[in-house]
Amino acid sequence: MDLTAGDLRELERLAATGRRFPAQTPLLHQSDVPENAILVLDGFACRYKYLTNGRRQITAYLVPGDLFELDLEYRLPLDCALGTLTACRLAVLPRPDYEDLLRRRPRIARGLQMMRLTEAAILREWITNLGSRSGPERLAHFLCEMLLRLRTTGLASDNQYSFPITQADLADTLGMSCVHINRVLQKLRRDGLIELSGRRLTILKPEGLRTLAEYDASYLEPAAIPLRPCVSDRPAA
Amino acid sequence: MDLTAGDLRELERLAATGRRFPAQTPLLHQSDVPENAILVLDGFACRYKYLTNGRRQITAYLVPGDLFELDLEYRLPLDCALGTLTACRLAVLPRPDYEDLLRRRPRIARGLQMMRLTEAAILREWITNLGSRSGPERLAHFLCEMLLRLRTTGLASDNQYSFPITQADLADTLGMSCVHINRVLQKLRRDGLIELSGRRLTILKPEGLRTLAEYDASYLEPAAIPLRPCVSDRPAA
DNA sequence: CGCTCGGTTGATTATGGTCAATTCGCGTGG
DNA sequence: CCACGCGAATTGACCATAATCAACCGAGCG
């Protein structure tokens, strides 16, 4: 992105203000009217919905650099809840500060416009994933997406990244039971595609995983707007 | 919405320019860079993706009043294709006209902002639907959503609407095989919830259908922006 | 040391997919 | 007017994928 030095300073300043939250913390719930924008600095957060039968569906991941936005004009109640998956560091931006930031930093505002397009593309990709792919394909697709998204902020070097997500959360993400997630994970391991030990994921055969998932990354291409300064100097290509 | 008389005239003028397209016509395909915005005046269109295994996933329905938007600043290639489901009448708006319309009609532009929020909410709802609900629940949810969306443009009176969608298309929408769709439809009929004959759907027990689907319409509430003048004077409440 | 959470395993069941044949509705051409 | 043909809907038989239930393991923590 074509952010100015001033824009970047602004983002650095934001990144300094992070508050810590433990894993599995609800931040906002459905039908709340949010008064803060939230920038993820560290850890994974997500949007999710509960059904009355107890099932939970995660509808989006927020990884470092992702922003939970406010709609400016209308104050619509949320259509889904927001919470952390892992321990997180979050920058909490009250509405006035958020509006002010967008006014003062038009290039950042432009970047957010792009981010919205990417977010919608990801949602459509998830619909395709849930509707049209088998268990192993679904999981493979999700892991490929995470790899690319984490790369844009330098959080994935090579083909591995920190992945401290429980299998139960994965199940809620991919619309499967956690027993089944466990078996699908084992299949990917058995096929030598991935290695998942501790809280770190290594993709052993990136090409194989992409083939299995029919992964086409073009929907993410425009996503190269790290709102969070990269940790490493240069994200892996 | 708070559109002015001038805004409405503008929309009326647009609605007069519609071109007709037969059912199942591809309009744009994936990775195209669109040069026209498209307003649906009549019939159903959709966004969809093909996988190489032949499966197709529909990711969004465009019903009369819905707009296929252009992104103004970036000319991103499409992440999914666009085509008609039924015979359609569409207003095709070349990019310059579209940009011009938004410049001249700030209230319409504001309305589109709201539309985008609703679209995203619908996508998240679909993710939940595909990931967390059984066949009958999924179908019921979809039918409830269509009822409400068609009501906003006066295309559903009471609890029935014209529904000329093939079972194969329904299958591609809900991530099931068309054999299964057929059986699920029969179950809803057998349970006295709906009647679907010819190309018309009647919801016999609206409350029952909503209960089955756990349908909560709040994600659609803000959608009351018919870009297409209502046929009837007053959409059903 | 024992508890708890997350991960793993096996057995059983259910939901939904696939294949293949049949029927129905409807428009077309003889 | 009727036979034909085509796409869509329907049905049955069989199979695969994934859910459920229940038990067990293993690491980390108070």
Side-chain angles (χ1 to χ4, degrees), chain B residues 166-167 182-183 186 189:
Chain B
T166 68
Q167 293 184 5
N182 183 285
R183 294 190 166 125
Q186 286 177 54
R189 280 193 273 237

Side-chain angles (χ1 to χ4, degrees), chain B residues 177-235:
Chain B
S177 70
C178 68
V179 172
H180 193 52
I181 277 286
N182 183 285
R183 294 190 166 125
V184 172
L185 270 172
Q186 286 177 54
K187 177 169 167 46
L188 297 193
R189 280 193 273 237
R190 211 173 331 114
D191 294 349
L193 295 170
I194 64 168
E195 189 175 296
L196 176 57
S197 62
R199 356 225 86 251
R200 191 153 197 88
L201 178 83
T202 307
I203 298 178
L204 299 171
K205 294 184 188 160
E207 196 43 42
L209 202 65
R210 278 195 290 273
T211 306
L212 173 60
E214 269 192 50
Y215 193 76
D216 171 2
S218 49
Y219 70 105
L220 281 182
E221 294 291 294
I225 8 135
L227 283 186
R228 170 176 179 284
C230 291
V231 220
S232 67
D233 298 332
R234 189 146 311 289

Side-chain angles (χ1 to χ4, degrees), chain A residues 82-143:
Chain A
L82 183 74
T84 65
L85 287 170
T86 69
C88 280
R89 203 161 54 85
L90 307 175
V92 178
L93 259 174
R95 184 180 282 275
D97 300 10
Y98 174 69
E99 289 178 353
D100 194 49
L101 175 69
L102 295 196
R103 235 188 324 271
R104 282 183 299 110
R105 297 293 169 186
R107 281 161 187 253
I108 291 182
R110 251 180 58 105
L112 292 193
Q113 185 57 36
M114 170 81 86
M115 183 189 80
R116 270 170 233 131
L117 295 174
T118 306
E119 272 179 16
I122 291 175
L123 291 175
R124 284 188 288 267
E125 195 61 44
W126 279 37
I127 287 174
T128 308
N129 207 26
L130 287 166
S132 304
R133 279 191 264 257
S134 69
E137 293 164 356
R138 278 226 278 288
L139 178 55
H141 189 281
F142 176 72
L143 297 178

